[in-house]
Amino acid sequence: MEFASEWIESGVEFPGTFYCGTSSIFNARLTKMESVLMQMPGFEKLYSLIVLVTGEIGDNSFAHNLGKWPDTPGIFFGYDLNKGIIVLADRGLGILETLHQVRPELQSHVDAVKVAFTEFVSGRAPEKRGNGLKLVREVFMERPIDLFYTSGDAEVRLKGSRKAFQVTRGQRIARGCLAKIEFKSV
Amino acid sequence: MKLQLDKFGKTLISRELGQEAFKAFQSTLRGFSKDEDLEIDFSGILTLSPSWTDEFLSPLLNLIGNRLVLLPSDNLSVQATIRILEEANNRQFKIKS
C-alpha cells in the first residue's frame, strides 16, 4: 500500500514487479492471481467476484487514460493473497477530470466519484461504457470484501458487515486513483 | 447453434479483448441461420466482467434480439455481470431454464 500511495502522491518509484505498463501485462498477472485464489479454501466461488472487481478497476485505469497519461503510463498492481490484500493504483487523470469531459457540471472529486460508482455514465462518451464501477460497488456491498478507494480528495470506504455507500472528503490528494481491496483469508 | 464462450478465454475481463472477440466472431455469425437461436454456454469460464461482456453480448443482443439465449451458470461473476448489463441496457437477456 505504501508503494502505491507514494507513487501516486509524489511519483516515488517502486519495485518493477508491481508495475503493469500495458493492459496485456495486467491481464496476465490477474490471471495468475486468479489461479492461486481459486485454490484457496473458502474462495472456491468467491474468487470470481474478487477477480471481477480487481479486473474492472485495473481495466478502467487503462481504458480511461489511453493516450492521455499525464506522465507515467500503466498501473501499480500488488497483492498478498495470504493477507487478503490487493492494491491497484494509477497516475492517470483521475475520476473528476475523466468525467468532467461528459459532465462539465461536476466540480468536486467527491461528486465525481459518487457519480462514477452510482450512475451509468462514461468518461468515454459517446462510447457506451460506464457499468463497471456500479457492479464493483454492488459486489462490495453484498459480499464479505472491503474496499478503500480514492481519487483526488474523494474517498470511499466500504468496510465491515453493515456497509453504507458514502463518498467523503479526505485529507490527502491522490493523483489518479488508488484502490485497496481486502478480504479475510482462511 | 451453441457458442462455448471459453473459446475466447477463461478469464474475460477487458473491453479491448471483448471488442476483439466480437470482431473475431463476425465470420461465424455470417453463417448463422436467421431461424436459429444462438446459445451462449458459460461453462469453463472462470471470471466474466461487465466490460468484456458489454463489448460482446450487448451488440449480439442488439443484432439478434431474443434469438440470443444464455445458458444458466452458477459462476458468481457471470450472474453479477448479466444482472448489471440488463440494468445498464434496460433490456433483459433470454435465459434458458
Side-chain angles (χ1 to χ4, degrees):
Chain A
M1 180 77 170
E2 285 91 51
F3 285 138
S5 297
E6 288 177 359
W7 181 51
I8 62 165
E9 279 172 23
S10 42
V12 176
E13 290 195 10
F14 57 84
T17 180
F18 299 124
Y19 178 62
C20 301
T22 65
S23 61
S24 307
I25 296 170
F26 171 61
N27 283 327
R29 290 196 53 220
L30 184 65
T31 304
K32 189 177 170 189
M33 185 190 88
E34 178 185 59
S35 65
V36 177
L37 186 59
M38 65 189 292
Q39 289 173 41
M40 288 173 58
F43 290 90
E44 295 85 356
K45 288 180 85 76
L46 195 60
Y47 79 89
S48 71
L49 290 178
I50 294 173
V51 174
L52 183 160
V53 293
T54 307
E56 279 297 326
I57 292 170
D59 190 55
N60 260 3
S61 293
F62 288 104
H64 294 296
N65 290 294
L66 185 63
K68 299 175 195 165
W69 295 102
D71 48 43
T72 315
I75 68 167
F76 175 100
F77 175 37
Y79 57 87
D80 184 334
L81 298 181
N82 291 319
K83 289 183 180 169
I85 298 175
I86 301 168
V87 177
L88 300 126
D90 71 67
R91 284 178 58 82
L93 299 173
I95 301 283
L96 176 59
E97 197 169 333
T98 301
L99 285 186
H100 202 257
Q101 296 159 20
V102 289
R103 296 281 295 268
E105 74 275 15
L106 289 172
Q107 296 298 323
S108 72
H109 293 288
V110 169
D111 288 344
V113 169
K114 202 177 289 175
V115 166
F117 275 92
T118 57
E119 295 182 27
F120 292 109
V121 59
S122 168
R124 287 181 52 150
E127 286 180 74
K128 197 174 68 59
R129 290 166 183 255
N131 50 46
L133 285 183
K134 264 65 66 185
L135 183 55
V136 164
R137 177 177 57 92
E138 286 181 18
V139 168
F140 283 105
M141 294 293 283
E142 292 169 4
R143 302 286 174 174
I145 317 170
D146 296 339
L147 173 71
F148 170 73
Y149 187 93
T150 180
S151 180
D153 61 1
E155 294 181 352
V156 175
R157 285 185 173 81
L158 291 171
K159 197 167 184 172
S161 55
R162 300 177 71 184
K163 295 171 185 167
F165 179 76
Q166 197 178 0
V167 185
T168 55
R169 195 170 169 197
Q171 298 294 315
R172 300 200 287 188
I173 299 223
R175 165 75 171 275
C177 304
L178 181 145
K180 183 183 182 188
I181 298 164
E182 289 183 277
F183 48 87
K184 281 198 172 61
S185 58
V186 180
Chain B
M1 180 166 76
K2 186 183 281 189
L3 171 64
Q4 287 286 147
L5 209 59
D6 67 353
K7 286 184 186 298
F8 296 104
K10 290 181 180 297
T11 306
L12 303 174
I13 295 289
S14 78
R15 284 197 176 266
E16 195 183 346
L17 295 178
Q19 287 168 358
E20 287 302 316
F22 187 67
K23 283 179 197 163
F25 189 59
Q26 293 308 299
S27 56
T28 309
L29 203 55
R30 260 179 243 128
F32 173 60
S33 160
K34 285 191 164 54
D35 307 317
E36 208 181 348
D37 284 346
L38 175 62
E39 293 188 338
I40 305 293
D41 189 341
F42 297 98
S43 55
I45 294 293
L46 299 179
T47 302
L48 185 71
S49 83
S51 292
W52 191 96
T53 311
D54 196 30
E55 298 295 340
F56 191 84
L57 288 189
S58 295
L60 268 181
L61 181 62
N62 288 335
L63 274 175
I64 64 173
N66 276 346
R67 288 188 297 135
L68 178 69
V69 179
L70 310 187
L71 299 186
S73 167
D74 61 0
N75 183 291
L76 296 179
S77 68
V78 171
Q79 293 170 358
T81 290
I82 298 305
R83 193 183 70 218
I84 201 83
L85 279 189
E86 287 182 333
E87 194 185 331
N89 295 331
N90 201 19
R91 193 170 176 184
Q92 303 288 306
F93 286 102
K94 189 172 168 183
I95 297 172
K96 195 168 188 174
S97 49

